[in-house]
Structures are given as structure tokens and as C-alpha cells.
Amino acid sequence: VAPAMAALVQGLWAMLDEMADNDPSGYRRLLQQQREQAERFRAPPEPRLVLRARLAGARFGLSQGAAGAPIFINVCGWRRVPAPQSPAGPTPVLAGPLEEVRGEPDPYSVIDVAFNPAVLQRAEENPENMEHLIHLTLKFVEERCSLSLSRSYTLEPFKLKGSLEMMQRRLKGREALPPHLSQNTKELSLDQLLQAADAENCTNSPVLLKGESVTESKVPLIEEITSTEAPAEPSTPVYEMRVVKDANERPLQLELRIELPEVSSVSECDLRISKDDLVIEVPAKYKLQLDLPELVDEDTTTAAFNKGKRLLCVTAPVARPG
């Protein structure tokens, strides 16, 4: 696949060089079109609706475990998702991972699903088409995440569960293009590289949701595509650890202060602690793993997040000798 991509890149540049020499005005128009397309591509996803679903056989509010936790599906419009090539053809869809969130007071899961804005606009103009699109979206999430969802769902009054930044980060989940494409070749514009990558992605087998027969379907089937951007590497946050001791210099507890300037809610944080180590992760933002200087009692460890200071404070009592 990579040599084919490299050949495509070389061919594009040869065509552009020839066009610049023989048709300067056409070359300028092409560059302007590329700039306009790049601007559309960089536009963020637009939240449109949130579906609250649940696993088949589970009842909302009766269980705090994964089986009873609600699943929120953020449905958004994104210009970088291609529009269907024809009314009868499959509808491209871009989806992020299903993430479990330790929400307050109850846990939940969330997944982001993006369509071309034109697809959602057509669905919003017709309640029957919207119902069918929602049905296919639920079936798509089922098959993609190996779940069995109830056909009962709720349309939430808000348009986005979580933050726009986190949704955008989750949707950008594809590895970067091969490094050698930028070596021994001219540097392509953003839009040209993305179009070349999209052309390659279209050769992948689509994920089709066959909820109804093609002849009866009023809304096209769904075809999953993949993002063309590399996921952001999480950084190590700034932190300070202090060992509190008693009058006899015996350790009483560990106090850890972690600066998380890009976090707005504790629900974004995943904190895990054992007797001798601690791990905190904020997807696509931060990751910190520490070996603790003292054995601690993980059952009585507490954590508090200061939204104003964007500061996570962890207090871990030192384990008493057994």
C-alpha cells in the first residue's frame, strides 16, 4: 500500500508541475480550490444530537456496573466525512472508540459517530428518515463494539455529552501516513495528502448495516471510514508528591498534587491506584505512572478535583503493618 501511495504522490506533483508551466491561471484556480477545501477540512465537528441507549436486558438506574450503565451516542456533522456518492449508495460514517467514563454520580459509556452534514440535514427534514438513521446508527454501534443494544432509546435535550475537544480527539484515531512520503518528494499541501489518504481508505471493505433490505430502505446503508490524523500523544503532567510524617518521623500519608490545565471535569480522568503505584490517564491529553515511595491503603485513598485551579489532589494513607 505504501509504494502505491508514494507513486500517487509523485504523480500528483508531476501533474502540478506541468500545469504550472502550461496553464498558470488554471494552476492558481486549483490552488485556491485546495485552500478552500483545506479550510472546510479543518472545521471542527458540529454536535447535532445525543442518543441515550442501553444494553438489551438492562434497566436504567438499577445498576452501577457496566451492564447497567447508559451508553451515550454523540451524533455530529463533520465536513471531512464524505457525502454519499448516490442516494442509493452507502453513507460514510466516522466513529471513535467506545469509552467508559467514571461519571458523577453514576458511570456511563460514550461513543462519537460523525456523518456528513448533508446526511443529517436530510434526516432532520423528515422524521421517518431520522428514525431510520437512528436505527442504523444503533445497529452500527452494536456491530462495531460487539454489543447487544435495546431498541428503546432516548433523545437527550442537549447536543453533546462531554466536551467538543474530547469528541474531536476521539474521532482522530488513525495512524499517520508513512514517514517516507515526506522524504525525497515535495511537501504536499494538507488537502492533497488527505485526498490521497482518503482514496486509499476507500479500498477498505465497508461496514454495512443491513437493518432493512436495500430496495425498502429510505436512507442509504452505512459505510465506515477512518480518520486520517494521528492521535495526539498524551503528555506527562506537572506534579508534586509529599510524604506527611508524624512527630516520630513515621510516614502517615502521601499527598499528590497533579496539574491538569486541559481538564475541565473529573469525569475525564481515569485514576487507578494499588499498594505501590498510581496511574492517572486523561485520553489523548495526559498520562502519569508513579511508583509510590511507601505502601498505601488503596481502599481509603481519596481524590478531589479543583475545577478552578485544574488541580487533582490525591491523599493516600500509608498502609499499617499487618
Side-chain angles (χ1 to χ4, degrees):
V1 177
M5 177 82 70
L8 176 61
V9 172
Q10 295 285 6
L12 282 171
W13 273 112
M15 178 191 70
L16 291 173
D17 287 342
E18 181 178 355
M19 187 177 186
D21 293 336
N22 300 327
D23 185 7
S25 60
Y27 180 70
R28 287 192 294 270
R29 286 196 301 272
L30 178 62
L31 292 183
Q32 179 62 30
Q33 292 173 359
Q34 295 296 314
R35 282 193 291 268
E36 292 174 356
Q37 291 180 15
E39 287 299 322
R40 289 196 297 271
F41 189 90
R42 284 192 290 267
E46 300 177 358
R48 301 291 278 270
L49 60 96
V50 176
L51 304 175
R52 180 186 174 101
R54 59 186 173 89
L55 297 177
R59 297 177 61 189
F60 287 130
L62 296 184
S63 172
Q64 300 302 316
I71 298 173
F72 292 95
I73 304 172
N74 288 323
V75 180
C76 65
W78 210 6
R79 294 181 181 181
R80 67 178 60 187
V81 179
Q85 295 184 357
S86 67
T91 299
V93 58
L94 181 64
L98 179 68
E99 288 194 355
E100 294 184 6
V101 180
R102 297 180 181 179
E104 296 180 345
D106 300 323
Y108 62 89
S109 297
V110 62
I111 185 171
D112 311 291
V113 178
F115 295 97
N116 184 275
V119 173
L120 291 171
Q121 182 175 349
R122 285 195 299 270
E124 289 167 353
E125 293 171 355
N126 186 313
E128 189 176 340
N129 284 354
M130 174 60 78
E131 180 69 23
H132 189 74
L133 184 62
I134 290 174
H135 172 78
L136 290 180
T137 301
L138 292 171
K139 191 170 182 180
F140 166 72
V141 172
E142 272 190 327
E143 296 183 1
R144 189 177 193 274
C145 303
S146 300
L147 299 174
S148 178
L149 297 179
S150 169
R151 283 298 169 264
S152 298
Y153 67 88
T154 303
L155 276 175
E156 295 296 306
F158 44 86
K159 293 185 177 181
L160 176 63
K161 182 67 174 179
S163 68
L164 179 62
E165 180 183 9
M166 286 302 298
M167 180 176 71
Q168 190 167 359
R169 287 175 182 270
R170 285 191 295 259
L171 288 172
K172 297 177 181 179
R174 179 176 167 83
E175 293 182 358
L177 296 175
H180 72 268
L181 288 181
S182 61
Q183 300 172 358
N184 302 320
T185 63
K186 298 178 182 179
E187 184 180 358
L188 287 178
S189 71
L190 171 64
D191 193 60
Q192 288 167 322
L193 275 174
L194 294 173
Q195 287 189 24
D198 285 344
E200 180 189 35
N201 291 339
C202 288
T203 63
N204 295 334
S205 299
V207 178
L208 296 179
L209 305 184
K210 300 178 181 178
E212 299 180 13
S213 66
V214 176
T215 55
E216 296 177 351
S217 176
K218 295 182 176 60
V219 177
L221 298 176
I222 293 180
E223 176 183 34
E224 185 177 11
I225 64 174
T226 52
S227 173
T228 55
E229 293 193 14
E233 289 294 329
S235 60
T236 301
V238 176
Y239 70 93
E240 178 185 358
M241 183 183 295
R242 187 167 71 97
V243 179
V244 179
K245 299 181 180 180
D246 62 14
N248 297 320
E249 292 298 312
R250 289 179 299 188
L252 291 178
Q253 65 184 25
L254 304 182
E255 295 181 351
L256 179 64
R257 296 160 56 91
I258 307 169
E259 298 180 14
L260 303 171
E262 295 185 28
V263 174
S264 58
S265 170
V266 70
S267 63
E268 300 177 39
C269 304
D270 181 13
L271 176 63
R272 302 185 297 277
I273 188 167
S274 68
K275 291 183 180 297
D276 56 5
D277 75 343
L278 174 144
V279 178
I280 179 170
E281 290 187 85
V282 180
K285 292 183 180 179
Y286 303 109
K287 182 174 182 179
L288 176 65
Q289 183 168 358
L290 295 175
D291 293 327
L292 302 177
E294 303 286 344
L295 297 181
V296 301
D297 184 354
E298 63 266 38
D299 293 332
T300 58
T301 295
T302 59
F305 183 70
N306 187 318
K307 291 185 178 181
K309 297 181 179 180
R310 306 293 177 95
L311 188 69
L312 181 66
C313 299
V314 181
T315 302
V318 172
R320 296 180 180 179

